[in-house]
Each structure stands twice: as structure tokens, then as C-alpha cells.
Amino acid sequence: DYVVPRIRSIVSASKEWNRNFYNHSGWKLHVDEVRAIVKSSNIFRYKFGNRWLVNYDQLEPLLDSYVRERLERTHKKVRPMIRKN
């Protein structure tokens, strides 16, 4: 089976992460942080007009590891996973 990837702009990817995972991590991501992660990784990205489109399915694990690393540096605990629908 083929699964269609979730393509998002960098701005909407940061909004989706903050909406769905802020309760889990307690750490909101700024658009500039997401942009830096996208530029430093090998995920699918495509320039469409003046926006970068990224594969959110590939970006989500990178954002999770980034947030976990930041939480370890600040000695905060990761909250139990709660997904908003």
C-alpha cells in the first residue's frame, strides 16, 4: 500500500507540532528552529514560490529528537504523550 506523505510548509509544520505535541514536551518550537532543522537534514523539501514545502512524516522524528535533546539540556522531564485531535 502507498501512503501519501503529509506535505507541509515550514510555518504550518511548526504550528502542527505545537498544537499536537506541546502537552507532551512542554516545549514550543519557533519557526526559525524548524527552518534550521530542515536545512541541516536530508528530508524531502521543495521550494514552491516563496515557501519551502517539507515532508512532515520525515520531519516529525527530527523535531521529537531535537525537543528531547533540549529538554535534557535544561533538565526538564518529558510529559506523557497526549495527542490532541
Side-chain angles (χ1 to χ4, degrees):
D1 292 334
Y2 179 74
V3 178
V4 178
R6 295 181 292 171
I7 303 296
R8 305 282 188 268
S9 69
I10 292 176
V11 173
S12 64
S14 67
K15 285 182 182 179
E16 185 167 341
W17 171 267
N18 291 334
R19 182 178 55 241
N20 293 332
F21 293 103
Y22 175 68
N23 286 337
H24 168 60
S25 65
W27 191 283
K28 285 194 174 187
L29 290 176
H30 193 265
V31 176
D32 293 333
E33 292 175 307
V34 176
R35 190 174 291 125
I37 293 169
V38 168
K39 286 183 180 179
S40 66
S41 63
N42 289 330
I43 65 170
F44 173 79
R45 60 181 181 249
Y46 180 74
K47 180 80 169 181
F48 185 74
N50 62 349
R51 296 182 187 260
W52 281 100
L53 301 178
V54 296
N55 184 347
Y56 187 74
D57 295 327
Q58 292 176 346
L59 180 64
E60 195 172 72
L62 296 174
L63 295 178
D64 187 45
S65 64
Y66 173 77
V67 168
R68 286 184 186 276
E69 179 184 318
R70 294 294 300 256
L71 290 172
E72 287 175 9
R73 276 197 237 151
T74 58
H75 305 293
K76 292 184 179 179
K77 294 182 181 178
V78 177
R79 300 174 187 167
M81 180 75 134
I82 299 171
R83 271 190 184 238
K84 290 183 180 179
N85 292 333

